[in-house]
Amino acid sequence: MILTRASPVSPWRSLGIRVLMVASLIAIAIAGHWFGRDGLHDNLDGVISFSDVLYFTMITVATVGFGDIVPVSEGQRLFATFVVTPIRLFVWLLFVGSAYEFLIKGAWETFRMTKIQEQLKGHIIVAGHGESGSQAVSELLRRGSLPQEILVIEQNEKARAAAVALGVNVMDADATRNATREAARLKTARALIVSTGRDDTSILVTLTAHGLAPDVPIRTVIRHVDNETLARTAGADTVINPASFAGLLLAGACHGPHTADYLADLAATDGRVSLNERPVAPTEIGKSLADLESGLGLRIYRGELAIGFWEDGARTLKPGDMIVEIVPNS
């Protein structure tokens, strides 16, 4: 899906500007022919009236003329060569550009968007491109996700423009509607990030999305602590409360400034270390979580069971395990 930044000029205003430009160019040609009408000859009656000038100008701008009225003076021939001919070419370019803008381009973009939507698979859908949603998209891009792998659903024009500027796919639609999630191909998505800015809307999106695609992981941003349980009940696999996370950092800083510093280092893309989640490698099966060579193993997810590095289950890695580790950033 190839997206461009929305133009500040509306299509109809753009068309009006083009019509005005054409009218201005034709007016220049009419004025030149009228004031130099002594250099024109009418093969029909020998008299050049204003209607003759208007007719001759329009025919000459649109084509090359029919030969019934011709320039006979040197001045009119030079005017036809260096003024009318460029005007003719420019007018045709304006007409062709308008036809492309209002007819061909729209049909082509519709066809292309349809094909792109049909091929969406393994993408990340971000419902809402406000403060948290935009940060999530920027972080995904910094972590190596390709712009074409991210689809933003947003109705606010300014938020959409900000997403377009990042080069990601953008859909102007209501994320609470099933038709929107069908168009976004939620069932084939890798994950859904819900950050609409309102807890009630985010919970509704989470609930309906989970019902439509129960196997797609859902990450939901919730502003109020009281709504975190509702979001999990609605189907969110991960619930993030920005205020709570900030509170954890602040509280940690009170008991030791280096704790908060390390947590911020983990969360930042440009930090010295980062958290990494991956499936266990075939060569690691049978080894202990402490024996990882790629990083510092913290936790194993074995199905629904979370196993800490200090627990007995971490002594032997098994097929299907998911590993959470701290790795150095190169």
Side-chain angles (χ1 to χ4, degrees):
M1 185 181 294
I2 301 176
L3 300 172
T4 57
R5 188 192 301 268
S7 172
V9 180
S10 68
W12 291 109
R13 185 179 178 185
S14 175
L15 179 61
I17 292 173
R18 296 183 189 194
V19 171
L20 183 60
M21 291 175 65
V22 170
S24 300
L25 292 172
I26 292 176
I28 292 173
I30 291 173
H33 287 147
W34 174 251
F35 291 111
R37 60 187 179 279
D38 292 341
L40 300 176
H41 178 70
D42 189 340
N43 291 321
L44 182 61
D45 56 13
V47 178
I48 299 295
S49 64
F50 181 76
S51 61
D52 290 330
V53 168
L54 183 61
Y55 159 77
F56 175 66
T57 300
M58 297 304 295
I59 292 300
T60 306
V61 169
T63 61
V64 293
F66 295 145
D68 47 352
I69 300 177
V70 294
V72 293
S73 68
E74 183 177 356
Q76 279 295 332
R77 287 176 178 175
L78 290 175
F79 182 75
T81 300
F82 294 107
V83 178
V84 177
T85 299
I87 286 176
R88 179 191 306 122
L89 296 175
F90 197 69
V91 167
W92 274 107
L93 286 175
L94 286 173
F95 278 131
V96 171
S98 298
Y100 170 75
E101 185 74 23
F102 287 90
L103 299 177
I104 302 174
K105 182 180 179 181
W108 171 248
E109 288 299 320
T110 300
F111 172 77
R112 181 167 53 187
M113 294 301 176
T114 300
K115 289 298 181 182
I116 292 298
Q117 286 179 342
E118 292 176 354
Q119 297 171 2
L120 280 175
K121 186 177 182 180
H123 54 299
I124 299 174
I125 302 173
V126 181
H129 198 255
E131 184 177 355
S132 298
S134 61
Q135 289 293 330
V137 171
S138 298
E139 186 67 19
L140 286 170
L141 294 174
R142 285 193 291 267
R143 289 178 180 268
S145 295
L146 298 176
Q148 56 266 32
E149 296 174 340
I150 302 172
L151 172 61
V152 171
I153 302 175
E154 177 59 66
Q155 289 184 293
N156 181 272
E157 185 175 354
K158 291 183 64 176
R160 285 201 312 274
V164 168
L166 296 175
V168 301
N169 307 322
V170 181
M171 181 180 293
D172 180 7
D174 183 357
T176 64
R177 296 175 59 87
N178 276 334
T180 299
R181 290 185 287 273
E182 291 282 0
R185 297 185 67 82
L186 175 63
K187 293 181 180 179
T188 63
R190 190 195 334 165
L192 169 64
I193 296 175
V194 183
S195 179
T196 65
R198 289 175 54 98
D199 284 2
D200 53 353
T201 305
S202 293
I203 292 172
L204 177 60
V205 172
T206 301
L207 178 64
T208 53
H210 181 70
L212 181 65
D215 296 329
V216 175
I218 302 176
R219 323 301 186 191
T220 304
V221 176
I222 292 296
R223 305 287 177 179
H224 299 286
V225 177
D226 294 343
N227 295 326
E228 292 183 17
T229 302
L230 288 175
R232 290 190 177 92
T233 304
D237 299 274
T238 305
V239 176
I240 303 295
N241 187 323
S244 295
F245 185 72
L248 291 174
L249 291 178
L250 291 171
C254 292
H255 290 83
H258 301 301
T259 301
D261 180 67
Y262 193 78
L263 287 174
D265 196 5
L266 280 174
T269 307
D270 54 356
R272 296 180 59 192
V273 293
S274 63
L275 284 171
N276 180 47
E277 181 176 347
R278 63 176 178 84
V280 62
T283 56
E284 296 171 330
I285 294 175
K287 295 182 178 180
S288 169
L289 182 63
D291 295 331
L292 294 180
E293 297 181 1
S294 56
L296 179 63
L298 299 178
R299 183 175 291 182
I300 298 172
Y301 283 92
R302 187 167 293 156
E304 299 295 327
L305 181 64
I307 303 172
F309 63 87
W310 67 91
E311 297 181 278
D312 291 340
R315 295 178 181 177
T316 305
L317 294 171
K318 298 182 179 180
D321 284 351
M322 292 296 296
I323 297 173
V324 177
E325 60 184 348
I326 296 177
V327 297
N329 287 331
S330 55

